[in-house]
Amino acid sequence: MLDRLRRLAKSKMRRWLRENPRSLRRLRQFRCFSMDPEAVSRGFAIGLFFGLTPTVGFQTLMLLPSCLILRGNFALAFMATWVSNPLTMVPLYWAFGKLGGVFISGSILSPATAAAWPALQFVTAGTLKMLVGSLLIAGPLAILAYFIVYRLVTLDIDYRGGAH
C-alpha cells in the first residue's frame, strides 16, 4: 500500500514537472533536487517542520518557497511532511493542543465577544494553543533532524558491512 502511494506521488510529481518545464528549470536552478548533504538535510528539516504544524492542505504550498529560499531538496521535504497523515493527525494535534495549553491560558477574545460567541472563543483558543504547541515541537525537532540527517548522509559506509 505504502509503495503504491509512493509510486502514485512520484508519477504525479513527474507529470506536473513535465507539464511545467519552466518550474522544473527554476527548481533545478535553486538546487531543489540536489542530493548533496546540505540540500538533503535542509529538505528533510523543512518537510518535518511543516509536517509537524497544523497546516494540512497548505504544506506543499509552503514547502516550495521554503525549499527555494533555503535551497533544500523538495522531494525529500515533500516526503517528510507525511509525518502528519490521517493516522497521526489526531494524536499530534491533541498533543500540540495540550502543550500549547501549558503556555496559553485565558480568553484571547474580548469579554463581550467571548460572551456572545462562546463557540468562537473555544475554536480560537484551541487553534492558538495547537499552533503554539506545534511550533514548540516542530522547530527543535526540525533543527535536530537537520543535524542527524546530515550526519547520516555524510557517513562513509562500506556497503559490504563496515564503516570506515
Side-chain angles (χ1 to χ4, degrees), residues 4 17 20 24 37 50 67 83 103 107 124 129 135 146 154 162-163:
R4 201 168 96 194
L17 290 171
N20 298 284
L24 178 59
F50 285 115
C67 286
V83 70
F103 294 94
S107 177
T124 55
K129 288 175 186 177
L135 292 175
Y146 170 84
T154 58

Side-chain angles (χ1 to χ4, degrees), residues 4 8 24-25 38 45 49 54 90 113 117:
R4 201 168 96 194
L8 178 66
L24 178 59
R25 278 194 306 276
E38 286 286 328
F49 178 81
V90 172
T113 305
W117 299 91

